[in-house]
Amino acid sequence: MKPMDRYELELKKNRENRIVTVLDAAEVLFAKKGIEKTTMQEIADAANLGVATIFRLFPKKEQIAVGIATRRLEKFLELFQNIHSMEITSIEKIEALMDHFLEEFAEGNDFKMIEDFEIYSMLLSEPIEDTEQYKVIYREISHIYAEIIKTAMKDGSIRTDIDIEQSLITLINAFVTFAKKLSIQKNIGFIQLDVAPEKQLILLKKVILDYLMSGMK
């Protein structure tokens, strides 16, 4: 490798490492303070970088939020890919998806981070830039779920007296949306929930599965 090529490669690696460092630091701050209340100076301090460096990498804080949300969404894409590749029935894939969402809800902040990002995006006066990768991943997740739905319409594991496509889209969207809402409530200290969030999601999962398999032997 030529010296100039090696130098450019090192510069690229250093930049990529700094981007990861910034995203990691900002993710912690966003979880604690929220996206809107976190400043670029606070992110720079947490990342042990100069604020000028932060602005060179991410001219706007919104771009950092996009980067973090995209990383979180990539985890969901990997989940959908793995479950879609399993040699199981479509109803078992739907159950596996909900089980994983339950695990993520109990152990991580994926739902909260994505919900925070979506709410933050809606409150901005102008559209966020550099969201193409986020949109690409979102579309890929939708495509994989569409393939699961196609299988469900053929393998007989879901009742056939309903509109399978409409039902699966609606029910999973309802499950994820409810999980996002509970994730936010769980992180608000003064809200006292009558039923534990995890129990609510487990009950909703049972309702969905019972509906999809109602009348089947």
Side-chain angles (χ1 to χ4, degrees):
M1 181 182 294
K2 295 180 181 179
M4 183 56 70
D5 292 338
R6 184 180 297 109
Y7 175 72
E8 290 180 355
L9 182 60
E10 289 177 357
L11 284 178
K12 182 180 179 181
K13 286 184 178 179
N14 286 337
R15 186 176 189 279
E16 291 173 350
N17 289 337
R18 286 185 172 184
I19 287 174
V20 171
T21 298
V22 171
L23 293 179
D24 289 344
E27 189 166 0
V28 174
L29 290 170
F30 289 169
K32 290 180 179 179
K33 301 185 61 176
I35 300 172
E36 185 175 1
K37 293 184 179 180
T38 301
T39 67
M40 293 292 264
Q41 184 62 61
E42 288 172 329
I43 295 171
D45 293 342
N48 292 316
L49 295 170
V51 70
T53 299
I54 303 295
F55 276 105
R56 280 198 297 271
L57 296 171
F58 299 97
K60 296 181 180 179
K61 183 175 62 176
E62 290 83 350
Q63 293 170 305
I64 299 178
V66 171
I68 294 171
T70 299
R71 293 200 308 185
R72 292 297 178 107
L73 202 61
E74 284 173 344
K75 292 177 62 178
F76 285 114
L77 174 57
E78 184 178 358
L79 162 68
F80 274 76
Q81 290 171 330
N82 290 339
I83 290 178
H84 180 47
S85 65
M86 292 179 179
E87 295 297 327
I88 56 178
T89 64
S90 56
I91 192 65
E92 290 171 327
K93 291 180 180 181
I94 299 299
E95 184 173 10
L97 282 172
M98 290 191 288
D99 283 341
H100 187 87
F101 292 153
L102 278 164
E103 291 175 9
E104 285 296 322
F105 180 85
E107 299 175 4
N109 290 311
D110 287 339
F111 283 124
K112 183 178 183 300
M113 184 64 237
I114 291 176
E115 182 75 355
D116 287 349
F117 171 68
E118 291 175 350
I119 293 174
Y120 178 70
S121 301
M122 288 189 298
L123 295 176
L124 293 174
S125 58
E126 297 180 0
I128 294 181
E129 300 175 1
D130 300 329
T131 59
E132 187 54 39
Q133 184 60 22
Y134 185 89
K135 294 176 183 176
V136 167
I137 296 172
Y138 199 95
R139 287 195 295 268
E140 182 61 21
I141 290 173
S142 298
H143 173 73
I144 293 172
Y145 192 54
E147 291 299 315
I148 294 176
I149 291 173
K150 287 181 182 179
T151 302
M153 297 171 71
K154 298 177 182 178
D155 70 3
S157 64
I158 292 177
R159 56 191 283 198
T160 57
D161 62 327
I162 59 173
D163 186 319
I164 293 177
E165 180 178 11
Q166 187 178 82
S167 297
L168 290 182
I169 291 174
T170 301
L171 293 172
I172 287 297
N173 280 340
F175 189 87
V176 172
T177 300
F178 190 48
K180 288 179 181 179
K181 179 180 179 180
L182 289 177
S183 180
I184 292 175
Q185 291 180 341
K186 188 171 71 169
N187 286 276
I188 300 176
F190 62 82
I191 291 183
Q192 298 278 332
L193 298 176
D194 294 329
V195 181
E198 289 82 358
K199 289 185 178 180
Q200 293 187 52
L201 286 175
I202 290 171
L203 177 58
L204 180 56
K205 170 195 163 186
K206 183 179 184 304
V207 169
I208 289 173
L209 292 176
D210 286 348
Y211 174 77
L212 292 175
M213 295 187 294
S214 177
M216 297 183 67
K217 295 182 180 181

